C-alpha cells in the first residue's frame, strides 16, 4: 500500500509541476483569446499525461484510474480548459481505441495519441441529438470495401486540432441501438473538414467545434469492432468518461477552494482577517466537506473501474455530485472574494465559468439522475 501511495504522490507532484510551469503563466491569455494550446498539450504528452491509462507496450504510462483522477485534478486546479482537453483526449478518443480497437489499430494509433504527438477527438453529439443519441443523422453507407459518411457532429472537443477522431455514425435504422458504428478517421481524409468553433462561457481554451462529413470515404479497416457496435461502445466509454468529468469538476472545486482559504486569511475587514467571521468560515467548512464527499465518490468509482467491475451507477453518482458541488464551491468562492471575485485579476471568476460545463458535458446532471435511478431500481 505504501508503494502505491508514494507513487500517487510522485505523480501528483509531477502533474502539479507541469501545470505550474507550462499552464499557469498563460491561463488568462488563453482564456481571453480562446487559444487551444496544442504546444502545451504536446508537453503534457511527453510527460505521460495523455496516455495515463494506455499500457506501456503502446507508448502509454500504464497507470490506473487513481493516478488518472489525480492527474486531471492537478491540471484542472490550474486551468479547467486544459484539464478538460486532457480528460477528453485520454478517456474518449484514446480510451475508445484502447478498449475496442484491434491489435493493428492499437499499434498504429495508441503510441501517437499516448505521447501527444497526435491530438484525439471523439464525435457522438450532433446539432439536434445531444442526450438523444439514438436519433443521430450522421450516416455511413456501405460501398464495397468503404463506408461513405455524410453528416455533421457538434460540440466536439478538439474538432479543429485533432489529428484523428473516433466517429459514431448511423449504419442501420433510426433508434436501433445496434444501428450505429464507430470509425477511426484521420485528419486529411477527403470529405472530412471542420466547421464553426463555439464561443463559450467557460472552458474557453479547450477547443469545441463542428466536424463535417461530405461524402467522406473511409475504408472498412477503420471500423472499431463490428458494424452495429458503435452505440454500445460509446455508452461504455461514457461510463468511464464520467470519472474524468468528476475528476475535472473536483480539480476546479479544489482550485476555487484553495484560492478562497488563502484570500480569507489575507483579506482584512473591521481589523481582522475575514476568515475569522463565521459567515466566511462556515462557507469554507461547507466547501471543504463537499469536496471531500465528491472525492470519495470519484475515488470509489475509479477503484471499481480498476477492478473491472460494473460502475455505471457509481460513475454517474460521482459525475453528478462532483459537477454540482463544483458549481456551488466556485460560486461561494466568488462570494468570498467579493468585488475582486467578479474581476479577471483573480482566479475565481474563471473557476466559476469553467465549473458549469461539468454539469452539462458527457451527460447532463439530469441524464445522470436517470442513469442512477435506473440502476437503483434494478437493485
Amino acid at each position: 500500500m505504501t508503494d502505491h501511495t508514494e507513487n500517487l504522490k510522485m505523480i501528483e507532484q509531477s502533474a502539479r509541476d507541469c501545470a505550474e510551469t507550462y499552464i499557469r503563466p498563460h491561463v488568462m491569455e488563453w482564456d481571453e483569446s480562446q487559444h487551444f494550446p496544442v504546444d502545451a498539450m504536446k508537453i503534457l504528452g511527453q510527460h505521460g499525461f495523455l496516455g495515463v491509462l494506455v499500457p506501456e507496450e503502446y507508448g502509454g504510462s500504464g497507470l490506473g484510474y487513481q493516478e488518472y483522477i489525480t492527474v486531471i485534478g492537478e491540471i484542472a486546479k490550474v486551468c479547467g480548459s486544459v484539464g478538460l482537453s486532457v480528460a477528453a483526449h485520454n478517456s474518449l478518443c484514446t480510451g475508445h481505441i484502447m478498449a475496442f480497437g484491434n491489435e493493428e489499430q492499437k499499434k498504429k494509433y495508441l503510441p501517437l495519441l499516448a505521447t501527444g504527438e497526435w491530438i484525439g477527438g471523439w464525435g457522438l453529439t450532433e446539432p439536434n441529438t445531444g442526450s438523444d443519441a439514438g436519433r443521430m443523422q450522421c450516416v455511413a453507407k456501405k460501398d464495397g470495401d468503404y463506408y461513405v459518411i455524410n453528416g455533421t457532429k457538434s460540440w466536439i472537443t478538439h474538432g479543429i486540432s485533432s489529428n484523428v477522431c473516433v466517429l459514431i455514425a448511423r449504419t442501420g435504422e433510426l433508434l436501433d441501438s445496434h444501428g450505429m458504428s464507430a470509425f477511426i478517421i484521420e485528419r486529411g481524409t477527403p470529405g472530412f473538414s471542420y466547421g464553426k468553433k463555439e464561443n463559450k462561457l467557460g472552458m474557453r481554451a479547450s477547443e469545441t467545434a463542428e466536424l463535417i462529413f461530405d461524402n467522406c470515404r473511409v475504408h472498412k479497416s477503420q471500423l472499431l469492432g463490428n458494424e452495429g457496435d458503435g452505440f454500445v461502445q460509446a455508452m461504455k466509454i461514457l461510463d468511464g468518461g464520467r470519472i474524468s468529468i468528476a475528476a475535472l469538476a473536483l480539480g476546479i472545486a479544489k482550485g476555487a477552494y484553495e484560492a478562497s482559504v488563502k484570500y480569507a486569511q489575507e483579506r482584512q475587514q473591521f481589523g481582522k482577517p475575514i476568515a475569522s467571521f463565521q459567515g466566511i468560515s462556515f462557507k469554507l467548512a461547507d466547501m471543504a466537506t463537499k469536496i471531500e464527499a465528491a472525492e470519495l465518490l470519484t475515488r470509489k468509482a475509479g477503484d471499481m473501474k480498476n477492478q473491472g467491475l460494473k460502475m455505471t451507477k457509481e460513475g454517474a453518482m460521482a459525475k453528478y455530485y462532483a459537477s454540482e458541488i463544483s458549481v456551488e464551491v466556485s460560486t461561494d468562492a466568488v462570494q468570498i472574494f467579493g468585488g475582486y471575485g467578479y474581476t479577471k485579476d483573480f482566479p475565481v471568476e474563471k473557476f466559476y465559468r469553467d465549473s458549469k460545463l461539468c454539469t452539462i458535458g458527457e451527460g447532463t446532471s439530469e441524464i445522470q439522475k436517470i442513469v442512477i435511478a435506473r440502476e437503483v431500481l434494478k437493485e
Side-chain angles (χ1 to χ4, degrees):
M1 186 65 196
T2 322
D3 290 351
H4 180 68
T5 313
E6 283 306 308
N7 198 24
L8 208 54
K9 281 202 176 119
M10 274 166 52
I11 287 156
E12 182 177 67
Q13 194 56 54
S14 172
R16 188 174 297 163
D17 292 346
C18 245
E20 290 297 336
T21 309
Y22 303 108
I23 301 169
R24 193 177 293 282
H26 312 286
V27 168
M28 288 317 291
E29 162 205 338
W30 293 342
D31 183 76
E32 299 272 308
S33 63
Q34 299 202 72
H35 168 70
F36 173 52
V38 174
D39 293 347
M41 286 287 284
K42 288 189 184 298
I43 291 168
L44 292 172
Q46 286 157 17
H47 282 80
F49 299 135
L50 294 189
V52 182
L53 303 160
V54 175
E56 290 177 41
E57 63 184 288
Y58 301 114
S61 301
L63 298 169
Y65 269 82
Q66 299 304 344
E67 292 84 358
Y68 179 52
I69 290 164
T70 299
V71 166
I72 300 289
E74 284 303 317
I75 294 168
K77 264 201 232 180
V78 174
C79 178
S81 298
V82 181
L84 172 64
S85 278
V86 171
H89 176 95
N90 270 287
S91 77
L92 299 178
C93 181
T94 309
H96 199 139
I97 294 170
M98 191 168 74
F100 299 107
N102 58 37
E103 200 50 38
E104 203 177 318
Q105 291 166 336
K106 287 186 198 177
K107 278 188 174 140
K108 181 175 180 182
Y109 294 107
L110 291 180
L112 292 165
L113 289 162
T115 54
E117 198 177 323
W118 278 20
I119 303 288
W122 193 76
L124 176 69
T125 308
E126 296 183 2
N128 294 314
T129 59
S131 304
D132 183 15
R135 292 179 200 273
M136 68 171 57
Q137 299 297 316
C138 184
V139 172
K141 284 210 162 72
K142 194 98 190 267
D143 179 23
D145 282 346
Y146 286 82
Y147 286 87
V148 180
I149 304 174
N150 282 289
T152 307
K153 294 288 175 180
S154 58
W155 305 107
I156 308 306
T157 305
H158 314 144
I160 296 166
S161 300
S162 56
N163 305 85
V164 64
C165 179
V166 170
L167 172 79
I168 323 300
R170 194 152 60 75
T171 45
E173 293 305 308
L174 208 62
L175 295 176
D176 176 6
S177 64
H178 296 284
M180 288 161 266
S181 305
F183 300 88
I184 305 172
I185 307 181
E186 292 181 27
R187 181 70 61 191
T189 304
F192 174 25
S193 61
Y194 60 83
K196 174 174 167 252
K197 178 176 171 174
E198 302 298 342
N199 183 4
K200 302 179 306 220
L201 167 74
M203 302 289 197
R204 290 169 60 81
S206 180
E207 176 185 280
T208 308
E210 286 180 322
L211 301 178
I212 297 166
F213 299 91
D214 182 10
N215 289 323
C216 176
R217 288 175 71 78
V218 177
H219 193 264
K220 66 180 181 185
S221 63
Q222 297 301 95
L223 190 65
L224 273 162
N226 298 315
E227 184 178 302
D229 287 352
F231 183 73
V232 177
Q233 288 176 4
M235 292 306 108
K236 285 184 180 155
I237 292 303
L238 286 174
D239 254 7
R242 284 171 185 149
I243 297 176
S244 298
I245 302 298
L248 176 67
L250 192 56
I252 291 169
K254 283 182 180 176
Y257 166 72
E258 286 171 15
S260 300
V261 170
K262 189 167 176 285
Y263 182 80
Q265 289 169 322
E266 290 167 0
R267 170 74 167 168
Q268 301 255 337
Q269 289 291 280
F270 307 102
K272 50 188 173 182
I274 62 169
S276 65
F277 297 109
Q278 202 176 64
I280 300 296
S281 66
F282 277 16
K283 263 191 174 47
L284 294 171
D286 280 339
M287 292 157 93
T289 306
K290 287 171 184 172
I291 287 169
E292 192 76 14
E295 176 141 27
L296 286 168
L297 279 170
T298 307
R299 296 273 177 200
K300 181 186 179 186
D303 186 49
M304 292 176 74
K305 186 76 177 155
N306 275 344
Q307 292 180 59
L309 301 171
K310 180 175 189 280
M311 36 62 70
T312 303
K313 180 184 78 175
E314 289 76 11
M317 281 179 166
K319 195 272 189 197
Y320 166 54
Y321 186 75
S323 64
E324 290 292 340
I325 68 103
S326 190
V327 173
E328 290 168 18
V329 168
S330 52
T331 302
D332 280 344
V334 172
Q335 197 68 19
I336 289 168
F337 273 76
Y340 291 113
Y342 206 66
T343 70
K344 291 187 184 289
D345 299 330
F346 288 81
V348 290
E349 69 85 35
K350 183 176 180 295
F351 288 125
Y352 178 71
R353 288 185 289 112
D354 287 350
S355 67
K356 190 59 201 160
L357 180 78
C358 298
T359 69
I360 299 167
E362 289 200 34
T364 60
S365 289
E366 290 72 21
I367 288 290
Q368 305 311 320
K369 288 190 203 178
I370 290 172
V371 171
I372 296 162
R374 194 182 290 147
E375 293 298 316
V376 165
L377 293 169
K378 267 187 211 166
E379 292 164 11

